[in-house]
Amino acid sequence: MESVLSFLFPFKLYPRSVSLMLLVLRVLFGVLLMWHGVTKIANVATAADSFPNPLGLGHRLSFYLVVFAEVICSAAVILGAFYRLALIPIIIAMAVALFVVHHGQAFAAKELALIYFVVFVLLYCTGAGAYSLDNIIAKRLNYARLAKVDEVSAFRPADYSSSEE
């Protein structure tokens, strides 16, 4: 359980400038990717049946998985909530778009998927920053862990042995 919590809510100290940069990148690229998903939802009647089926899951399921990544996961990235978990579907969707759907096409067709892929992989590696819901949760979890350690150490018997013999 501890490893799952530390994966979901890693406790890191970030300088303010880095946290501001991560916040701007999260919001900027999250909103841009979310816009792609919202435009897909607006055209769901025509887009779902003609959507590429690169993994053999069916056109509709592929469509809904990409919309989930682009809308729901982007919202989580913007908020910094379940950040690492939310980035995984986005990175997978961009990798499939880049390496499978647009394989063999001109660079111009791959460019946007490549940009999103690189940015979201880098955001995954750096973390959400101090201005995120995950960081607030991580701080509270870390304080709870520290409180448990203090609680346990308060009940240890004192060592009165002397080393001056």
Side-chain angles (χ1 to χ4, degrees):
M1 183 64 168
E2 186 72 26
S3 61
V4 171
L5 289 176
S6 62
F7 170 77
L8 289 175
F9 311 110
F11 183 73
K12 292 183 182 178
L13 297 174
Y14 294 91
R16 183 179 298 200
S17 59
V18 172
S19 290
L20 285 172
M21 179 201 59
L22 290 171
L23 175 65
V24 168
L25 287 173
R26 282 190 354 244
V27 171
L28 176 66
F29 281 93
V31 167
L32 288 172
L33 187 61
M34 188 184 286
W35 179 253
H36 284 279
V38 169
T39 58
K40 285 180 178 72
I41 292 172
N43 300 319
V44 69
T46 57
D49 292 327
S50 63
F51 198 76
N53 182 19
L55 302 177
L57 300 173
H59 297 283
R60 282 200 172 277
L61 182 57
S62 296
F63 175 81
Y64 291 126
L65 289 173
V66 168
V67 167
F68 170 77
E70 291 181 353
V71 176
I72 304 300
C73 294
S74 289
V77 167
I78 291 167
L79 296 172
F82 297 99
Y83 185 73
R84 285 180 160 179
L85 201 59
L87 281 169
I88 293 170
I90 294 172
I91 291 170
I92 291 171
M94 292 304 111
V96 169
L98 179 63
F99 298 115
V100 179
V101 174
H102 297 298
H103 178 73
Q105 294 180 358
F107 180 75
K110 301 176 186 184
E111 184 178 8
L112 190 58
L114 175 64
I115 291 169
Y116 281 132
F117 178 76
V118 169
V119 168
F120 286 118
V121 166
L122 292 174
L123 286 173
Y124 183 90
C125 294
T126 58
Y131 307 120
S132 66
L133 292 176
D134 281 0
N135 196 54
I136 293 168
I137 295 168
K139 281 182 184 177
R140 291 187 182 190
L141 288 173
N142 198 42
Y143 292 143
R145 287 183 202 122
L146 292 175
K148 285 181 184 177
V149 169
D150 288 343
E151 208 174 272
V152 169
S153 64
F155 292 109
R156 287 192 184 148
D159 184 14
Y160 296 109
S161 63
S162 173
S163 61
E164 295 180 9
E165 295 179 33

